[in-house]
Structures are given as structure tokens and as C-alpha cells.
Amino acid sequence: MTDVLIIGDTFRSPELRHEVPLGVPDPFVYLERDGARHVYVGSMEVDRIRGARGDLTVHPLEEVGIDELYAQDLGWLEIRLEWAARACAHAGLTRAAVPQTFPAGHLDRLRRAGIELTVDQALFDERRRIKAGPELDGIRRAQLAAEAGLTTGVALMRQAENGDGVLWLDGEPLTVERIKAAMRLVFAEHGCSAEEFIVAPGPQGAVGHEMGHGPIRFGEPVVFDLWPRDDASSCFADMTRTIVVGPVSDEVAGWHRVTKEALGAATALIRAGVDCRSVFDAACEVYEAAGYDTQRTKTAGEVLRHGFFHGLGHGVGLEVHEGPYMGLLPGGELVAGDVVTIEPGCYDPAVGGVRLEDLVLVTDDGCEVLTRFPYDLEA
Amino acid sequence: MSDVLLIGDTLRLPELRHEVPVDIGDPFLYAETGGRRVAIVWSVEGDRIALVDPSIEIVPSETFSIDQLLRDGLDPYEVFPALFSQMVASLGLSRALVPDRFPLGIADRLRADGVELVVDQRFFDDRRRRKSGFELAGIRAAQNAAEAGMRAIAALLERSHPSGEGRVVDGEPLTCERLRAAAAAAFAALGCRGDDMIVAHGAQAADGHDPGRGRIENDDTVLCDLFPQHIESACFADMTRTFRVGAVDATIADWHGQCVEALELAVAMVRSGCEGGEIHRAVCAFFEERGHMTQSTRPEGSVQTEGFNHGLGHGVGLEVHEAPGVSRVSHGLVAGDVIALEPGLYRRGFGGVRVEDLVLVTEDGCEVLTDYPYGLDP
């Protein structure tokens, strides 16, 4: 059995949050030695971590002589390095798999202590892939929060009026900032929060991760891409819809039609065992048949700005972007328990874009679509 | 001047967020070399970096083709380390300072390709201790939200009344979870978030970072440690107050008076040039004179479950706990440091009291950023 070492806090290390499922803001040491799970952490966190998971042996740092380190007038990092080395010695760890993001600064100290560390991200990704229990519950709660937030955002747009070409509501322009503030409140009411999210009107919607700002023009598409995180589980959801108030141009209506078709074609293929690349290909074929560029048709090194220029989807869990990836890169096969997004989109930087994104749970014979929200362009 | 290399996303790597003050969720490369500041980033991030800092040169990641790597039959897990190595080579970088959290998976590849990486966390910590104007404004906005959250909690406690099964507001049971939701809504209304605040009642307050749970009793003590993050700047604030509802508890009232006095003593010592550890020791001495155990007097190697059992304070900025240390780990304070000072007294199984203010260190003292009464009454 491979021994494992993770050093970090559970807000920034999803690998660690998966093993120690509660919020611990300061870095600590987690290791697995011969299948037994050990945590070495400041004494103020000991009881809470013991309470979160019964199979963890939790050692307060006093067991590895933290007081004697403090007495030596060392800096923070030096103390953390020593404590990591002592924890490994205490548990008899000599060789361990670590995640890709293992702090490089700890490497030299631990290797000097004779500990062999090997990066094996695949091992950690595999552990996190199949969603079940509290993580899946958390994803479902985050998805409900996303839908409730979007309902509020769309309702504001629906009530708005055309005032000299831009949307107005209650005597003021209805800006992206106003819509986002209202949506954030809804996330908070659902026990979720969002670092950021996209409400991007017009040309902003064609700029990848542009988060959106300012007034909204009558008749332009607004891309809503939301990924709230459930506070209790730290798990994300992810969904996108595109909304227009005012007359919809033929071009935008065409993008919407082909995007919905691509979403349908891709979703129909999802089931355990299907190759990720083939799902991406199915979406690309829909766009290419309609005359749009995709990553498959661009030349190497070219920066694509029109058509379907991004990947189709990704896993969602403790990270908003995680494996499996459905895009140009080989992504392997889907497995039952994967939670993945399917998010085709079509863009023109001069006009904006249309993107639709659903979150699905892969099953043996298909998938459960977790997103329940109409695809309509009209608010 | 040393070259600098950072690889990561700006949500999880504060060193990178300090240089590139925009939220970028996917890993990218930032380097300083030969007087250039360069970000190599996927074009989906658009002009967002250039809009906030035009001095950063932007290179689209797409100009580094993965096609050849895939043709070479590289394992998907090796593609990104290889791609980052190509990017580093294109910059002519042969030796660079990196933070402790530089990803080991990429460090191994770069070192194998002959790039010398030197971990120098102090270098990055020192940069971040000098808050930018944008960051300091973010800390103030977060502090403002913390106070609004505290007011929302206090208002519910103040309006609550006793019942057969504990406190009630508007006909509904009053719980730690409900108090946290009220504070979270106040944060959200002010562009902030805070998913790990402590609202702990009764004996839970003695248990470090226990976030708290369950019904507020008719006679109860509620410890509220709020550290919202301002979303746009990613900067935190940090404040604590302790409230009492129902019958007075003489021990809690006594401890509370001492904590407020200890906080005032600490704030009076803060100025540029002062050692953080000196302020911590002064507060320990203050508590020891009043018969409490502290980190200075507890038996070495034992877990301390009563008295003042943690450090006095820490820096606050892009991380809620960062340099300088105002505890057994000590830094000399400099003007521009933002530090939290948080004396507390506890007894496991009984409960605890803590009060915490956020201050900005100046040449001749400090500016207290927290504007909220200390009173035990909500």
C-alpha cells in the first residue's frame, strides 16, 4: 500500500479537504502510514478534527515537541518544516506519494531527513473522482443555490425596461453590479458563497473568464455562468445560461439553436465507459456542421476567438475545474459517480456569445442532469 | 535583482494575487526577469490583467503548442509540467526565487530541465507586508462588512427571548447556524464572503476554531470571530466580540474585563519598530499576574486547555493568518503592517471569551481599523 503525505490547509488543498472534511484554515500535516490515517495539528484543532472523522488519529503538535521549536527563535516556515519532518519520523514514514501542489519549500527539508517523495497526482484525482455522500449532497445544495441565484437575476432582467438603449429598473440603470449583489444574497441564504461569477453582457460574454461589469444594452445576450460553493462541504456547482431582454438578432438566435443542439448531442452520449474525447467530438461536429470553428479546426498556435473556442466540460467537486476533462486532451473514460459540466458555447468578440451549461452525474447507463433550469434566451 | 517565478491560480496563491490583483482560477505563469514582468495566461482571461496592471506583459498560453507534446505520447499528467517548462525556457529563466507553496510537481520538472529554483518565503512575505492601496482599501471594506455582520448577530441576540427550550426570535429557535446565516447575508450585501466564521456558544467557545453549532441557551455566552474576505481584492479582515444573553455569569464578566484591558494594553504598545513577540509577552504577563496560565507558563509539551492558550496576533491581508507574527513567532513591526490582536481566556468544558481588533501599524503608533463597542451586552 502506498503511503501518502499532504501538507496544507483544507481551504486551498482539495486533496486534503477530501481526507479531512472540515474547514481548517492553517497548514497541518496529514499522512497515511500502512493504511492508518494520522493528522499532526495545532492543539486547538484537535477535538474538531477527531469529531469530523472517526478513523483519524489526531496528534497535537506537543507530541512532536513543538514547544521546544518555539523556544529556538525559529521563523514560521522553519517551524513548519521541522514539524513536518518530526511528524514523518513519529509515524515512521520514509516514502510517500504527494499531490502536484505539495509545497516545494518542504521538499528539501524532508528529503534531507531521508524521506522519498513522489508526485502522484493521479492517485489523488482518482480518490476524489467518484462523488458520494456529503460531497455529492454539497454539490446538490450548491446547484440549488445556483438556480435560485439565477432565478433572481433573470427576474430582475424581466422587470427591466428599455431606457435609451440600456436596461433600467426602479429609476436606475440595471447594471451587472446590481444583479450580482442580489444574486450573492441568494447564494448566502442558501449557505453558499461565490468567489466570483460571470454576468457578462454583449462583447464581454465572448471574453472567456471576463466576470462582467456595467450597464446592459437592450437586445444583447448576457452570459450568466455561476459556480457557487457550498460552505459546509466546500463543494461547487457550475451552470450557465444566456439571457436577452429585447429583440434577439438572427445571429444570436442561431448560436443559441446550435449550442442547445450541441448540449443535447453531448448529454445523450454521457454514461460510464464513454471516452471523454468522443463527447467533445460530438459537440464539435454539431458546430462544424453549422459552419463554426472549433479547437479541432484551428491551426496550431492560433488563438481562436470565434465559434466554439473552448473545451466542452470538466469535473466539478472540491474544485470548480477538476478532472475528468472533456476537450482536446485525452481525458480517459467517464466513470459512474463523476460529476461533470457540459458547456458548449458560440462567440463573436464583436457581439458576444451564447453558452449553455448543465451539471450531470454520470451513471452506469446514462446520467442524471442535476441542473433544472429552462434553456430559453428570453428572460 | 533576483528573478521571480510563480505558478498557480490567484485564488489559492496569495503571493501571486499580490502581483496580479485579479481573480484567475486556473494555473498560469508569472515571472520577473531582466526588468520584465510577464504573465503567460490562457486567452480566456482576456484583458483582465492588462486593465488592472498595464506594466505586466501578457503572452497567450496558446502560443505554446501542446500538439507536439501529445504527439510525443506524453501522459496527460506530464503535459502541464512540460508546457510550463517550455514557457520558462522561452523567458530565458535559469534561476528564480519561488515561495514555499510552489507546486512540487512542476518544480521537479523544471529542476530536471536545469532551472534552479530557490525557496525564499521571507522574500514574498516581505513584499506582501507592504499592502498596496488597493489591498488596504479591500481590508477596510472587509472590516466594514465584519462590523455589519457583527451588528446582524447582535441584533438577533438582543431581540431574542427565553423559552422552554432555549432562545427564540420571531417564533423560530435561535441557533449558531442562524446567527452565521445573518452575518453571511450582511457580508454578501457588502461584496464580501466568509464561509468559515466562528459563532460558538457555551463550552464550544473554548475549543479553538470550532465554528459552533446548535441552540443558544436562555443564559449563554456567544463568541463571534468573523473574518470576511472582500471579493474584489481577496483581502480579509478579522474581528472578535463575545456576547452574553440572560443571567450574568461572574466568571465570564471578569474574564471579559481582563481581555478588554489586555487588548488596550497591546494596542498601546503597537508602533513601527516594536517586536511582535514583545507585545505577546506583555499580554501573557498581564494574564499571569491575574492567575491565568499562558503559553509562557504552561508545562512544555502539554496541551493547554485553560487560560490564554494561543498567540496574541498575526498579520492580515491576502491571508487571514500571515506575517508578521505577534506571538511566540515574532517579527519586528513595520509601518503598513495590518495586524489582528486577540487576547482570550478559556476553560475547556466551560467556555471562553475573546475580543479582537484589527490595527494598521504607523510610524508612531497605530490606527485601529475596528469600530465596534466591546460590551458583553449585544
Side-chain angles (χ1 to χ4, degrees):
Chain A
M1 185 176 298
T2 313
D3 287 348
V4 161
L5 175 65
I6 311 178
I7 296 177
D9 64 74
T10 63
F11 289 94
R12 282 182 287 212
S13 171
E15 293 82 10
L16 189 52
R17 183 66 172 244
H18 182 70
E19 306 302 339
V20 182
L22 78 168
V24 181
D26 295 318
F28 65 97
V29 173
Y30 168 88
L31 60 85
E32 295 171 17
R33 169 85 182 112
D34 284 339
R37 303 163 181 275
H38 297 269
V39 166
Y40 293 82
V41 67
S43 49
M44 67 191 282
E45 301 287 16
V46 166
D47 290 350
R48 221 156 58 87
I49 296 177
R50 280 189 185 134
R53 201 171 154 158
D55 63 349
L56 295 170
T57 307
V58 187
H59 308 268
L61 295 180
E62 284 78 3
E63 273 186 34
V64 292
I66 190 78
D67 291 323
E68 140 201 340
L69 297 178
Y70 277 123
Q72 287 172 27
D73 209 21
L74 300 170
W76 256 332
L77 183 59
E78 289 88 349
I79 288 177
R80 294 217 312 264
L81 296 178
E82 277 306 312
W83 132 30
R86 288 176 178 214
C88 292
H90 188 266
L93 192 84
T94 55
R95 189 168 186 283
V98 300
Q100 160 98 347
T101 53
F102 188 87
H106 278 64
L107 177 71
D108 297 338
R109 177 67 188 88
L110 294 179
R111 284 192 177 156
R112 203 166 69 234
I115 298 160
E116 189 186 333
L117 300 179
T118 313
V119 175
D120 186 357
Q121 187 60 32
L123 178 144
F124 297 96
D125 285 356
E126 292 299 317
R127 288 183 173 194
R128 282 177 40 223
R129 243 181 107 163
I130 296 174
K131 271 64 175 188
E135 289 182 355
L136 186 57
D137 294 344
I139 292 171
R140 290 181 191 274
R141 283 194 299 271
Q143 180 55 39
L144 287 177
E147 290 160 20
L150 185 53
T151 300
T152 295
V154 173
L156 286 173
M157 285 187 64
R158 193 184 305 124
Q159 294 159 35
E161 285 166 5
N162 181 9
D164 216 9
V166 300
L167 300 190
W168 280 67
L169 183 63
D170 301 332
E172 282 178 74
L174 179 62
T175 58
V176 166
E177 288 76 5
R178 275 178 77 189
I179 292 176
K180 282 192 175 185
M183 292 173 67
R184 279 191 197 289
L185 277 175
V186 177
F187 294 158
E189 283 163 12
H190 284 73
C192 291
S193 55
E195 205 97 46
E196 251 303 358
F197 54 97
I198 294 173
V199 178
Q204 295 173 22
V207 186
H209 290 157
E210 163 65 51
M211 298 298 160
H213 53 86
I216 298 167
R217 302 197 66 76
F218 192 63
E220 72 183 354
V222 181
V223 174
F224 285 81
D225 188 344
L226 319 175
W227 56 96
R229 191 174 69 179
D230 173 60
D231 293 341
S233 65
S234 203
C235 283
F236 289 90
D238 197 358
M239 77 176 290
T240 306
R241 292 292 185 266
T242 304
I243 307 291
V244 185
V245 172
V248 178
S249 72
D250 290 347
E251 187 178 34
V252 169
W255 294 346
H256 184 258
R257 218 166 21 245
V258 70
T259 298
K260 204 173 147 192
E261 192 188 330
L263 178 64
T267 307
L269 285 177
I270 301 279
R271 58 170 176 71
V274 77
D275 182 64
C276 286
R277 176 62 200 254
S278 70
V279 185
F280 175 64
D281 284 336
C284 287
E285 276 156 26
V286 172
Y287 282 110
E288 289 161 13
Y292 296 103
D293 274 331
T294 71
Q295 288 183 342
R296 304 196 311 179
T297 62
K298 82 178 185 94
T299 53
E302 179 194 355
V303 178
L304 196 61
R305 298 199 187 277
H306 290 76
F308 174 42
F309 63 65
H310 51 72
L312 179 66
H314 51 82
V316 174
L318 286 167
E319 288 190 283
V320 66
H321 290 172
E322 61 180 43
Y325 290 95
M326 292 185 286
L328 211 52
L329 275 174
E333 291 180 358
L334 295 178
V335 298
D338 270 331
V339 172
V340 295
T341 68
I342 308 173
E343 48 177 321
C346 197
Y347 313 86
D348 176 339
V351 180
V354 169
R355 182 162 66 252
L356 298 172
E357 176 183 29
D358 278 348
L359 193 64
V360 309
L361 170 65
V362 179
T363 60
D364 282 325
D365 51 1
C367 68
E368 179 193 346
V369 179
L370 302 179
T371 314
R372 285 158 195 254
F373 203 95
Y375 299 113
D376 305 350
L377 266 179
E378 289 81 11
Chain B
M1 200 162 64
S2 299
D3 287 352
V4 166
L5 180 63
L6 296 165
I7 293 177
D9 62 73
T10 63
L11 302 180
R12 282 182 286 211
L13 195 61
E15 291 81 7
L16 186 54
R17 183 65 170 247
H18 182 67
E19 304 305 332
V20 182
V22 197
D23 54 308
I24 308 274
D26 295 320
F28 68 101
L29 179 150
Y30 168 87
E32 295 172 16
T33 176
R36 299 163 69 199
R37 301 174 71 213
V38 188
I40 305 182
V41 59
W42 298 99
S43 60
V44 292
E45 305 302 347
D47 300 330
R48 297 198 297 140
I49 296 175
L51 287 175
V52 298
D53 190 345
S55 75
I56 300 175
E57 200 182 313
I58 306 295
V59 178
S61 298
E62 284 87 345
T63 54
F64 298 85
S65 171
I66 59 169
D67 300 343
Q68 185 57 46
L69 299 174
L70 291 177
R71 271 197 296 276
D72 293 346
L74 223 52
D75 181 279
Y77 280 98
E78 294 166 18
V79 168
F80 282 96
L83 199 62
F84 280 121
S85 185
Q86 284 184 12
M87 294 175 183
V88 169
S90 78
L91 297 170
L93 209 68
S94 58
R95 180 183 186 278
L97 302 185
V98 299
D100 172 53
R101 266 196 287 260
F102 191 90
L104 177 57
I106 294 167
D108 273 349
R109 169 74 201 224
L110 292 176
R111 283 176 171 169
D113 291 344
V115 181
E116 188 186 346
L117 300 178
V118 181
V119 177
D120 189 351
Q121 188 61 35
R122 187 181 308 270
F123 171 86
F124 293 98
D125 283 355
D126 284 350
R127 278 189 170 191
R128 282 179 40 222
R129 285 178 66 179
R130 288 184 286 274
K131 308 311 189 238
S132 69
F134 179 65
E135 288 170 348
L136 191 55
I139 292 171
R140 289 181 192 273
Q143 179 55 39
N144 192 31
E147 289 160 19
M150 197 67 82
R151 278 193 295 276
I153 290 172
L156 281 171
L157 288 171
E158 205 257 325
R159 284 172 50 217
S160 70
H161 52 82
S163 78
E165 294 141 277
R167 294 248 149 206
V168 171
V169 178
D170 300 334
E172 297 283 326
L174 185 60
T175 60
C176 289
E177 289 80 356
R178 198 171 155 199
L179 292 171
R180 267 204 297 277
F187 296 165
L190 292 167
C192 293
R193 63 196 285 268
D195 51 1
D196 189 42
M197 70 189 98
I198 296 171
V199 179
H201 75 114
Q204 293 165 8
D207 207 3
H209 287 160
D210 190 326
R213 74 204 90 82
R215 188 72 176 265
I216 308 295
E217 306 287 336
N218 291 337
D219 304 313
D220 211 344
T221 306
V222 185
L223 185 153
C224 309
D225 189 342
L226 311 183
F227 35 101
Q229 183 182 30
H230 177 242
I231 290 162
E232 192 190 356
S233 65
C235 283
F236 288 88
D238 197 359
M239 79 177 289
T240 306
R241 292 293 183 266
T242 306
F243 299 118
R244 177 76 194 172
V245 289
V248 171
D249 180 294
T251 303
I252 292 290
D254 183 31
W255 287 0
H256 182 261
Q258 291 179 26
C259 286
V260 171
E261 214 181 314
L263 178 57
E264 285 166 350
L265 172 148
V267 170
M269 288 179 73
V270 174
R271 60 173 177 69
S272 173
C274 180
E275 269 294 320
E278 215 175 290
I279 308 176
H280 170 73
R281 282 191 297 276
V283 165
C284 285
F286 172 87
F287 283 135
E288 286 155 20
E289 280 163 25
R290 282 152 187 80
H292 302 288
M293 189 188 286
T294 71
Q295 287 181 329
S296 311
T297 58
R298 72 167 179 196
E300 192 170 312
S302 72
V303 175
Q304 188 188 342
T305 56
E306 61 170 75
F308 176 44
N309 65 356
H310 53 73
L312 177 65
H314 51 83
V316 174
L318 286 167
E319 289 186 283
V320 67
H321 291 168
E322 62 177 39
V326 188
S327 58
R328 290 185 292 180
V329 176
S330 171
H331 293 86
L333 301 183
V334 297
D337 272 333
V338 173
I339 57 174
L341 299 167
E342 48 180 327
L345 290 170
Y346 317 88
R347 187 163 68 232
R348 184 170 291 178
F350 167 71
V353 171
R354 180 162 69 247
V355 290
E356 176 183 29
D357 277 352
L358 195 63
V359 309
L360 170 66
V361 179
T362 60
E363 288 300 343
D364 52 359
C366 68
E367 179 194 345
V368 179
L369 302 179
T370 314
D371 181 14
Y372 200 95
Y374 298 119
L376 263 181
D377 290 334

